[in-house]
Amino acid sequence: MFEHLLVEEKGQIAIVSINNPKSLNALNSATLTELNDCLAGIEGRKDIRVVIVTGAGPKSFVAGADISEMVDATPAEGRAMSLLAMEAFGRLEKMPQVTIAAVNGFALGGGCELAMSCDIRVAADTASFAQPECGLGILPGFGGTQRLARLVGEGRAMELIFTCDRIDAQEAYRIGLVNKVVPKDELIDACVAMADKILSKGSYAVSLAKKSIHTGLDTDLASGLLLEASNFALSFASHDKQEGMRAFLEKRKADLTDF
Ligand code: DAK
């Protein structure tokens, strides 16, 4: 049903693969539109609770925005593309589902920015990361200046963006850009295992925690703590809170169902 995406569902997990093999999964407007539509379709679903985003093929997660489409784009077209990406990438951050980037190869420019829009990043040991935009006479425009600095700190983000250096998966792990590095052949299994572990917890509580973390990081500590208190109160109204605590006291496994 999508031309540029492959979507597979495994129980409560959706695996969305960017599928533009001829350009190493570069993101053109059509792909961004499909990604946005696909995520919009998933975000209201209660039966899907984790989304894994990856790249089709053996070599590349996403090699960036599609340079062949951008080369002759006008500023107005650039703005339209930016708004489209902002919507799609913003959805990954705001949707109640947990999002995991399974970075299976090149994560360059918009590809690195796509990975950074996910809640968690797991990298294959063959993955590499860069923000090469300044070498093309532009700057990261899908959130890279903001999200990279938040993830790895201002100084490292500036160095990576100014030099356009490409770093390997181990270095990305060392600086906090990715959560873990696994052998390439085990990447999807590792992401599914992580998803299964998350799914065994209270999905409603996890989604409230996600919202608290993302929204809290955009505000001051005092406001973030108030938001946490409100979301904490919401969790107290859930079936899962009753069930989780009772199960502990009764020494049995909790049956957590809310989302
Ligand atoms: N766009 C279009 N085509 C690409 C591409 C890309 N980003 N990356 C690779 N390809 C194409 C290549 O042109 C080649 O096509 P053919 O020649 O076969 O037709 C094919 O994929 C295979 O690539 P290579 O032959 O180069 O493969 P190698 O293994 O030798 O090298 C590479 C792989 C990933 C190191 C190399 O392809 C490469 O350096 N690619 C470009 C990486 C890059 O600079 N990416 C950042 C793009 S800039 C915006 C906001 C954000 C952005 C743009 C606009 N707005 C707000 C409007 C974001 C910008 C970026 O992401």
Side-chain angles (χ1 to χ4, degrees):
M1 116 186 181
F2 293 110
E3 193 183 336
H4 304 278
L5 302 179
L6 303 172
V7 183
E8 184 191 351
E9 294 185 13
K10 286 186 176 188
Q12 295 179 309
I13 305 169
I15 302 177
V16 178
S17 305
I18 309 294
N19 185 31
N20 289 324
K22 285 190 188 137
S23 60
L24 299 179
N25 300 328
L27 294 173
N28 54 27
S29 305
T31 309
L32 286 170
T33 303
E34 287 191 359
L35 181 62
N36 191 37
D37 292 348
C38 174
L39 297 173
I42 290 173
E43 72 186 354
R45 287 178 58 179
K46 298 289 180 197
D47 57 330
I48 297 291
R49 300 186 177 186
V50 176
V51 179
I52 295 174
V53 180
T54 192
K59 200 170 157 182
S60 186
F61 175 69
V62 165
D66 191 323
I67 299 171
S68 64
E69 186 182 78
M70 281 190 296
V71 62
D72 293 320
T74 62
E77 288 164 341
R79 183 170 185 275
M81 196 175 176
S82 174
L83 292 175
L84 190 56
M86 222 183 273
E87 197 176 338
F89 290 18
R91 242 180 242 290
L92 284 166
E93 232 166 48
K94 292 192 189 74
M95 65 199 304
Q97 289 83 1
V98 171
T99 57
I100 302 175
V103 184
N104 58 310
F106 298 120
L108 310 179
C112 189
E113 291 166 301
L114 175 62
M116 289 192 290
S117 301
C118 293
D119 301 326
I120 294 166
R121 283 150 293 286
V122 180
D125 50 6
T126 53
S128 60
F129 299 79
Q131 293 292 159
E133 288 88 344
C134 287
L136 296 166
I138 57 174
L139 65 152
F142 292 160
T145 60
Q146 303 307 303
R147 293 196 177 99
L148 188 59
R150 280 169 171 76
L151 277 170
V152 306
E154 197 178 316
R156 285 198 172 108
M158 293 215 188
E159 183 183 347
L160 284 168
I161 290 170
F162 299 169
T163 63
C164 304
D165 280 351
R166 197 182 327 157
I167 58 171
D168 64 19
Q170 285 302 340
E171 176 66 359
Y173 175 70
R174 196 185 68 80
I175 65 174
L177 179 52
V178 301
N179 297 65
K180 65 157 74 173
V181 181
V182 299
K184 186 173 194 302
D185 294 345
E186 296 167 23
L187 179 63
I188 294 299
D189 286 349
C191 291
V192 169
M194 185 185 279
D196 283 341
K197 187 184 275 189
I198 293 168
L199 287 166
S200 74
K201 313 300 174 195
S203 294
Y204 180 57
V206 166
S207 75
L208 287 174
K210 168 173 172 165
K211 197 188 285 183
S212 303
I213 293 167
H214 279 310
T215 313
L217 282 173
D218 287 339
T219 185
D220 60 284
L221 180 63
S223 308
L225 290 171
L226 278 177
L227 174 73
E228 184 186 82
S230 301
N231 285 333
F232 195 80
L234 284 178
S235 74
F236 262 53
S238 68
H239 155 272
D240 278 1
K241 176 255 175 187
Q242 283 306 110
E243 165 63 13
M245 293 191 180
R246 292 221 178 284
F248 174 79
L249 295 174
E250 291 164 11
K251 302 189 189 309
R252 61 175 171 82
K253 190 175 179 307
D255 181 22
L256 304 178
T257 53
D258 288 328
F259 184 48

